[in-house]
């Protein structure tokens, strides 16, 4: 005899009244109501919630560990001495194309780190691992919607790291106190180098960093006109950093 048959109103068996106290009887009646009325019910809501929180915390810690070396390299972006060395540079003031310049060491180290990151992730995310897949899909919708193919979850993690790098880079750029025209050209080359690295990884550089790159490349005498259409925050920020006059 099933639990639903035992619960029929006309049944002569009333075991529930003998076996359950008032509180448990109330929970029992609620369960029966959910089952008979087809209400969606999860008996493991608390466990699921704790599992999701644990997965999120572990993922956050892992992300912080991976992002740590990049964050250290980006610290020098806002330092004035990083860009003062290019003031008066005849090379950067010349009409040479961008590929004639070399990216600075901080950004090449970040690029090398990013290119090596998939190799470090391979034992965990590029091989079949049902337990890890389940844990990642519990973190957020981006992982949950990942296609069911090898390396898809690793690509999402790389995208998250890249997004963090771009956002942090953009913040550091906007915190620079001053940039001469030669220094602006060098910074734009550094950002473009990062863009090339991300493209090699199949990742698109963030919109905010793309806008900053474009604004840094605009000649001073054309800034007022060519900056139209970009974010007002970034237009004003780069204008102030480059000490450009506004009409």
């Amino acid at each position: 005899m099933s639990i639903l048959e035992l619960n029929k109103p006309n049944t002569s068996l009333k075991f529930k009244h003998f076996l359950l106290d008032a509180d448990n009887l109330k929970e029992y009646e609620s369960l029966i109501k959910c089952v008979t009325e087809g209400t969606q019910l999860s008996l493991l809501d608390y466990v699921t919630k704790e599992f999701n929180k644990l997965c999120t915390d572990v993922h956050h810690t892992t992300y912080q560990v991976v992002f740590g070396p990049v964050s250290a390299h980006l610290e020098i972006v806002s330092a004035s001495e990083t860009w003062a060395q290019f003031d008066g540079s005849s090379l950067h003031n010349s009409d040479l194309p961008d590929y004639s310049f070399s990216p600075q060491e901080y950004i090449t180290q970040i690029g090398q780190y990013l290119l090596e990151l998939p190799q470090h992730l391979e034992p965990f995310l590029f091989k079949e691992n049902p337990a890890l897949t389940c844990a990642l899909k519990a973190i957020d919708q981006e992982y949950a919607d990942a296609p069911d193919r090898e390396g898809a979850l690793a690509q999402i993690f790389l995208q998250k790291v890249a997004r963090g790098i771009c956002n942090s880079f953009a913040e550091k750029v906007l915190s620079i106190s001053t940039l001469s025209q030669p220094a602006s050209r060098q910074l734009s080359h550094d950002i473009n180098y990062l863009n090339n690295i991300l493209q090699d990884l199949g990742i698109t550089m963030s919109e905010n960093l793309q806008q900053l790159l474009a604004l840094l490349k605009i000649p001073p005498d054309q800034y007022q006109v060519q900056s139209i259409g970009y974010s007002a925050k970034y237009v004003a920020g780069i204008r102030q950093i480059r000490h450009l006059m506004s009409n």
Side-chain angles (χ1 to χ4, degrees):
M1 183 176 292
S2 70
I3 188 173
L4 294 181
E5 290 173 332
L6 284 172
N7 195 63
K8 288 181 179 179
N10 60 351
T11 182
S12 59
L13 299 175
K14 302 295 182 181
F15 295 128
K16 59 186 179 182
H17 296 291
F18 297 104
L19 300 175
L20 304 174
D21 58 25
D23 291 337
N24 288 329
L25 182 60
K26 185 177 180 180
E27 290 186 16
Y28 173 81
E29 296 290 357
S30 177
L31 173 61
I32 293 299
K33 183 178 180 181
C34 288
V35 173
T36 55
E37 294 181 0
T39 305
Q40 186 175 6
L41 176 68
S42 174
L43 301 178
L44 299 175
D45 281 342
Y46 174 77
V47 176
T48 302
K49 186 180 297 184
E50 289 299 307
F51 171 75
N52 291 347
K53 182 179 183 302
L54 176 61
C55 293
T56 301
D57 290 344
V58 172
H59 179 272
H60 176 72
T61 301
T62 303
Y63 175 88
Q64 292 297 324
V65 171
V66 171
F67 190 77
V70 177
S71 180
H73 289 309
L74 286 175
E75 284 298 320
I76 73 168
V77 173
S78 56
S80 58
E81 57 268 21
T82 303
W83 310 107
Q85 60 181 312
F86 300 104
D87 294 350
S89 169
S90 58
L91 176 64
H92 289 74
N93 275 322
S94 66
D95 294 329
L96 292 174
D98 288 341
Y99 59 76
S100 303
F101 304 101
S102 299
Q104 294 189 82
E105 184 179 4
Y106 78 92
I107 198 65
T108 58
Q109 289 178 332
I110 292 175
Q112 186 65 29
Y113 180 77
L114 281 173
L115 291 175
E116 293 176 353
L117 193 54
Q119 180 181 350
H120 296 304
L121 295 175
E122 184 176 0
F124 308 100
L125 296 178
F126 284 95
K127 296 181 180 179
E128 186 175 352
N129 190 331
L132 184 56
T133 298
C134 178
L136 288 173
K137 287 182 176 292
I139 293 171
D140 61 27
Q141 199 61 39
E142 193 172 1
Y143 282 116
D145 293 339
D148 187 18
R149 66 169 184 268
E150 184 177 301
L153 295 175
Q155 186 66 15
I156 291 177
F157 184 77
L158 285 173
Q159 289 172 353
K160 288 179 177 291
V161 173
R163 196 179 305 142
I165 292 174
C166 290
N167 290 336
S168 182
F169 201 170
E171 291 176 3
K172 295 298 182 183
V173 168
L174 291 174
S175 66
I176 296 173
S177 58
T178 183
L179 280 176
S180 62
Q181 178 57 25
S184 297
R185 193 170 186 187
Q186 179 61 50
L187 177 55
S188 68
H189 186 73
D190 292 347
I191 297 175
N192 195 57
Y193 174 83
L194 176 63
N195 185 37
N196 292 335
I197 293 295
L198 294 178
Q199 288 179 351
D200 289 342
L201 293 171
I203 300 173
T204 302
M205 190 167 70
S206 65
E207 175 65 22
N208 55 352
L209 206 52
Q210 289 185 37
Q211 290 203 27
L212 292 177
L213 173 60
L215 292 169
L216 286 166
K217 287 184 173 182
I218 299 176
D221 58 341
Q222 301 177 32
Y223 191 84
Q224 186 70 22
V225 175
Q226 293 190 22
S227 63
I228 296 175
Y230 292 97
S231 166
K233 172 186 175 182
Y234 299 144
V235 170
I238 296 300
R239 177 190 290 117
Q240 181 178 356
I241 293 169
R242 296 178 64 185
H243 300 286
L244 303 176
M245 299 295 294
S246 59
N247 297 332

